[in-house]
Each structure stands twice: as C-alpha cells, then as structure tokens.
C-alpha cells in the first residue's frame, strides 16, 4: 500500500494556470471526469513542484510565465516550454532531468511516466510516455504519484 505522502492530489482553488491549491477531499470529484491533456500536464507539474526544494520558486515562476506547445506521439507527448528571459533560472543554472512522477491512468496496464528536462536552469520540455501501450484516448481515473526513488 502506498504512503499518502507520495500521492499528489489536487484541486483548483483559483484561476491561475498553474496555481498551487491542493485539497485532498476533492480528489474523487476530479477522477470522475476525464482530464484534458493540458490539465494532466498541469497536475504533473504541480506534483513536481510539491517535491521541489530550493528550486521550487524558480520553477513555479517559469511555469507561470511560459507558453507551452504540445506534440502528441501516439504513445505519449512532448510539451515544449518557451520561458521568457524575465523568469528567474534555477540557482546554479543546472542541466538536469526530473523523472520521479508516474500516473496511473484508466485503460493503461502500467503507469505512464514523465520526465521534465531542464537546460541551464530553465524548463525546456516535459515528456509523457507509456511503456509499450498506446496513449489513452480519454484520461480517466488518473492518480499521479511521486516515485519513491
């Protein structure tokens, strides 16, 4: 059984594109309705932010100010971010990947995986993918979790 600390549960509590309102009691309501791909991406990014340390503020500012272009591949997607120069980079301007998020999605045998790519302290892309399955046509019964390792 998963520890509830590892679950990323949410509810929208304001009108911002990537606000941080999280309320566990509304989780069932959200699972009852299919998510759009953009909503899934927002929730994955929120989960990443919930586990971020010192880089949280810079990542949040970048997500809030960025524009996003999504390309679907049939087995996942690539979400490209255009972050304005006015958004602060992560301190030290690292080039790294964050891949600690999974999502159980109705219709998939295995959880979907996600990798956030950061170059020189700036968010570049989020990749979402399945493990050998077609990406589901509807995003129902979604449960997003952080990987323990």
């Amino acid at each position: 059984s998963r520890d509830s600390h590892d679950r990323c549960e949410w509810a929208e509590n304001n009108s911002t594109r990537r606000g941080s309102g999280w309320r566990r009691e509304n989780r069932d309501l959200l699972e009852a309705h299919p998510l759009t791909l953009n909503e899934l991406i927002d929730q994955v990014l929120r989960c990443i932010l919930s586990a971020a340390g010192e880089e949280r503020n810079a990542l949040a500012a970048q997500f809030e100010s960025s524009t996003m272009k999504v390309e679907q591949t049939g087995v996942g997607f690539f979400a490209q971010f255009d972050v304005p120069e006015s958004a602060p980079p992560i301190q030290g301007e690292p080039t790294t990947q964050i891949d600690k998020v999974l999502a159980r999605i109705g219709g998939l045998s295995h959880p979907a995986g996600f990798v956030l790519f950061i170059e020189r302290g700036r968010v570049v892309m989020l990749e979402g993918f399945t493990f050998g399955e077609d990406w589901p046509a509807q995003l129902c019964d979604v449960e997003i979790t952080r990987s323990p390792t």
Side-chain angles (χ1 to χ4, degrees), residues 13-87:
N13 73 351
N14 59 39
S15 61
T16 60
R17 189 174 107 177
R18 299 191 201 319
S20 60
W22 299 52
R23 289 190 300 237
R24 180 167 288 130
E25 63 270 17
N26 289 337
R27 183 172 167 271
D28 292 336
L29 225 172
L30 289 167
E31 286 184 352
H33 302 0
L35 295 176
T36 66
L37 183 55
N38 283 352
E39 289 169 334
L40 176 67
I41 290 168
D42 279 347
Q43 301 313 324
V44 168
L45 295 176
R46 288 175 190 218
C47 189
I48 289 169
L49 280 177
S50 74
E54 295 174 6
E55 66 274 7
R56 179 184 172 93
N57 290 339
L59 283 173
Q62 290 181 31
F63 292 146
E64 283 291 331
S65 62
S66 68
T67 56
M68 180 177 70
K69 179 182 172 192
V70 179
E71 174 189 347
Q72 295 186 25
T73 65
V75 294
F77 64 86
F78 296 105
Q80 303 280 339
F81 295 95
D82 184 14
V83 179
E85 288 298 316
S86 60

Side-chain angles (χ1 to χ4, degrees), residues 37-38 40-45 48 68-81 97-105 108 110-117 124-136 139 144:
L37 183 55
N38 283 352
L40 176 67
I41 290 168
D42 279 347
Q43 301 313 324
V44 168
L45 295 176
I48 289 169
M68 180 177 70
K69 179 182 172 192
V70 179
E71 174 189 347
Q72 295 186 25
T73 65
V75 294
F77 64 86
F78 296 105
Q80 303 280 339
F81 295 95
Q97 298 173 8
I98 300 173
D99 62 356
K100 305 265 187 236
V101 178
L102 299 171
R104 292 197 179 281
I105 301 172
L108 290 180
H110 305 284
F114 302 91
V115 180
L116 181 67
F117 294 87
V124 176
M125 179 179 62
L126 177 70
E127 179 183 4
F129 54 90
T130 64
F131 293 91
E133 299 177 75
D134 288 339
W135 190 260
L139 300 171
I144 298 172

